Amino acid sequence: MKSDGLWLFGYGSVIYRPGFDFVERRTATLRGWARRFSQKSDDHRGTPEFPGRVVTLVPEPSSHLKGVAFRLDPASAPSTLLALDHREKAGYERTIVDVTLEGGPITSATVYIAHRGNDWDAGHESHDAIVATIVRARGPSGTNVEYLFRLADALRSLGAHDPHVFALEAAARVALNR
Ligand code: BEZ
């Protein structure tokens, strides 16, 4: 297997809408972190007046999560990362982690994480509070609930078990009668 290039690990919208070219796409697992809807979005799924909620990763030593690792062509990787830096400028920073590729080795990968205490950190909110925001928020990239539903669908298609995301999805469906 060819393994040159840089791996980028996606765990949110990057799974279903990468928006960049890649040479290989593999389901992958990241250990020691959990996916949480604890980041405010005032530029994609909300507005400065009414920020939505999107995912980031929080450190949780006993947790793991599934996402997708994309192998980037070395020639285009720098411009891809610069474009993602701009797309994810609301609090996210490039971080290097180790991910386990499904059916393959552990490799180091770049991941965008909005760390605790960043300017868009929503802190620890109840599920009810997160859902109440998600069902109302919309921004330039679309409604917040579409983001939640597309992410939940994408995780199901990876065979991922994510109680946090699936509980929010179920509560949003009840709230919206969908
Ligand atoms: C992702 O899907 O990997 C992602 C999520 C939030 C910000 C940047 C990337």
Side-chain angles (χ1 to χ4, degrees):
M1 181 183 37
K2 210 164 168 281
S3 65
D4 57 332
L6 175 146
W7 287 94
L8 177 74
F9 181 75
Y11 60 92
S13 59
V14 166
I15 297 177
Y16 62 80
R17 188 176 67 87
F20 51 78
D21 293 333
F22 52 87
V23 289
E24 189 178 352
R25 176 191 191 279
R26 300 269 294 275
T27 301
T29 299
L30 172 62
R31 294 177 198 289
W33 296 83
R35 184 171 16 231
R36 291 286 178 264
F37 269 83
S38 61
Q39 185 71 358
K40 295 179 186 173
S41 174
D42 59 11
D43 58 353
H44 286 296
R45 300 292 177 162
T47 61
E49 295 72 35
F50 196 87
R53 295 292 183 272
V54 291
V55 288
T56 184
L57 299 179
V58 298
E60 232 178 70
S62 60
S63 289
H64 63 271
L65 68 132
K66 266 192 186 173
V68 172
F70 297 90
R71 186 159 62 84
L72 307 182
D73 186 324
S76 57
S79 60
T80 295
L81 292 177
L82 283 178
L84 281 169
D85 289 351
H86 180 72
R87 168 174 151 185
E88 309 300 349
K89 60 188 180 303
Y92 294 87
E93 291 173 24
R94 285 188 219 167
T95 307
I96 305 294
V97 292
D98 284 337
V99 298
T100 307
L101 303 178
E102 201 167 78
I106 296 177
T107 187
S108 92
T110 297
V111 61
Y112 283 80
I113 299 178
H115 296 282
R116 280 185 180 142
N118 74 84
D119 288 349
W120 291 264
D121 183 6
H124 185 80
E125 299 179 295
S126 68
H127 273 197
D128 286 352
I130 297 170
V131 170
T133 299
I134 287 177
V135 298
R136 281 187 57 200
R138 63 170 60 229
S141 300
T143 64
N144 206 170
V145 81
E146 185 219 15
Y147 171 96
L148 169 61
F149 288 173
R150 287 193 72 180
L151 176 60
D153 282 343
L155 293 178
R156 266 188 291 278
S157 62
L158 296 180
H161 177 64
D162 194 317
H164 174 73
V165 174
F166 293 147
L168 294 175
E169 179 200 23
R173 289 198 186 281
V174 169
L176 294 171
N177 216 2
R178 287 167 62 179

